[in-house]
Amino acid sequence: MEATKPSSRANSTPAPEAVRPPLPLLPQLLTPPDLKEGFLMGEDATDPEQNLPPLPFMSTPRNQWPSHPTAAFFRPALYTYYTAMLAFSRRLLRIFALALDLPEDHFDAITQHPMTNVRAVHYPPQLSDADVGIGAHTDFCWFTLVAQSPTLHPALEVLNANGIWVPVSHEADSFVVNIADFLKLVTGGEWMSTVHRVRNRGGEERYSMPFFFSPDEDARVGVLEGFRREGERYEEFGVGEYFQRRLVVDRRTHLEEGEGGEGRKGGGY
Ligand SMILES: O=C(O)CCC(=O)C(=O)O
Ligand SMILES: [Fe+2]
């Protein structure tokens, strides 16, 4: 369960400002099914650290920084991380463009003021196998870079093509790179979003800091020319709109949809 899900907006077209609501703290979420707690921050044109031009859909503050004096270190520390991860992600997106036989700057035009999130998450040890840190899902961004704390028992698991859950051990000085829905969408399903989950069953505290990197909220995306199948009709759709739909649809429901179907006319989401 994520505190950011705006459940009351499920049936209404969101006002532009409402697509990405203010980012709340994620306190006291130690209730099943998701056994985790954390702080969420993201792109916010009202935070001077981000140096963003005025953007009409981002005119009210989103990030909610703790104000207690003991937390004074937190905002600069997260911004140091955020700034480095944003630059790194932009470079990685260019590498992915080259890997897709596209000019390296192909995605730059729709990733000018990208939707971004850093989550600083704590997973307490699970007391029961019935609990989960975070249930099976794919991420709805271009890709996610996950820094995870070392635990003897790997807690992050990814689902391979044979339906086997593969544990992802901590490796020093490395990130886990999860390909996510927008890369799946533009490649017509050729690149799959990584299905993953967290089960912290080793008795240790676990911390992770995923960085989620998406296209611009006001961009439109569709299946790339080179990945279209003959005879299929394709449509573009708004990134913010897709994001909103994913926020209000349970992630597990999404996993039941036809793989690679999004972006194809009639595929739906
Ligand atoms: O904590 C992790 O390793 C992954 C977290 C995750 O998948 C998510 O927040 O979407
Ligand atoms: Fe995830």
Side-chain angles (χ1 to χ4, degrees):
M1 162 73 82
E2 287 174 19
T4 43
K5 284 179 184 170
S7 53
S8 62
R9 299 206 181 92
N11 297 319
S12 60
T13 304
E17 189 67 41
V19 172
R20 300 265 285 150
L23 300 170
L25 296 167
L26 300 179
Q28 288 100 43
L29 289 182
L30 299 178
T31 49
D34 282 5
L35 201 60
K36 69 178 195 299
E37 59 181 349
F39 177 85
L40 177 64
M41 71 159 287
E43 82 285 1
D44 185 337
T46 71
D47 275 358
E49 292 93 328
Q50 297 199 14
N51 237 342
L52 285 169
L55 295 165
F57 50 86
M58 227 194 284
S59 57
T60 52
R62 285 174 168 167
N63 292 328
Q64 298 185 36
W65 295 102
S67 55
H68 197 275
T70 56
F73 75 96
F74 193 67
R75 179 169 175 160
L78 271 205
Y79 262 116
T80 301
Y81 190 70
Y82 178 87
T83 307
M85 295 306 279
L86 182 58
F88 180 41
S89 296
R90 287 188 183 285
R91 291 184 65 185
L92 206 50
L93 188 63
R94 287 182 152 220
I95 292 169
F96 286 160
L98 291 174
L100 291 166
D101 283 331
L102 299 165
E104 68 171 354
D105 61 356
H106 184 85
F107 297 118
D108 288 8
I110 54 168
T111 317
Q112 294 289 307
H113 43 85
M115 292 195 289
T116 47
N117 279 138
V118 171
R119 269 195 204 138
V121 197
H122 167 227
Y123 298 87
Q126 281 181 217
L127 301 176
S128 146
D129 271 358
D131 287 333
V132 286
I134 183 166
H137 67 281
T138 61
D139 294 338
F140 37 113
C141 46
W142 285 125
F143 53 82
T144 309
L145 303 173
V146 185
Q148 56 172 342
S149 65
T151 50
L152 280 177
H153 184 98
L156 177 63
E157 298 171 322
V158 299
L159 192 64
N160 75 10
N162 297 322
I164 311 277
W165 286 103
V166 180
V168 183
S169 301
H170 164 84
E171 279 188 36
D173 305 321
S174 65
F175 297 102
V176 179
V177 182
N178 281 328
I179 299 296
D181 291 355
F182 286 109
L183 279 171
K184 174 184 167 185
L185 287 165
V186 297
T187 62
E190 187 85 13
W191 284 20
M192 298 300 297
S193 336
T194 315
V195 179
H196 55 286
R197 68 183 181 188
V198 173
R199 297 187 303 156
N200 190 21
R201 299 186 301 164
E204 292 175 87
E205 308 293 333
R206 176 178 187 266
Y207 298 89
S208 75
M209 282 186 77
F211 181 79
F212 304 89
F213 183 63
S214 303
D216 297 338
E217 183 171 330
D218 54 351
R220 295 189 68 74
V221 292
V223 179
L224 291 161
E225 215 49 70
F227 291 89
R228 296 186 173 204
R229 293 185 214 130
E230 228 173 285
E232 294 280 3
R233 289 201 304 137
Y234 294 91
E235 62 182 8
E236 290 198 327
F237 54 88
V239 169
E241 182 199 344
Y242 178 82
F243 206 90
Q244 174 68 13
R245 283 173 193 251
R246 284 296 309 270
L247 281 174
V248 296
V249 171
D250 181 78
R251 288 172 163 177
R252 285 173 206 91
T253 310
H254 174 79
L255 294 178
E256 285 157 17
E257 292 169 4
E259 293 296 340
E262 297 123 323
R264 219 178 315 148
K265 191 107 183 155
Y269 42 68

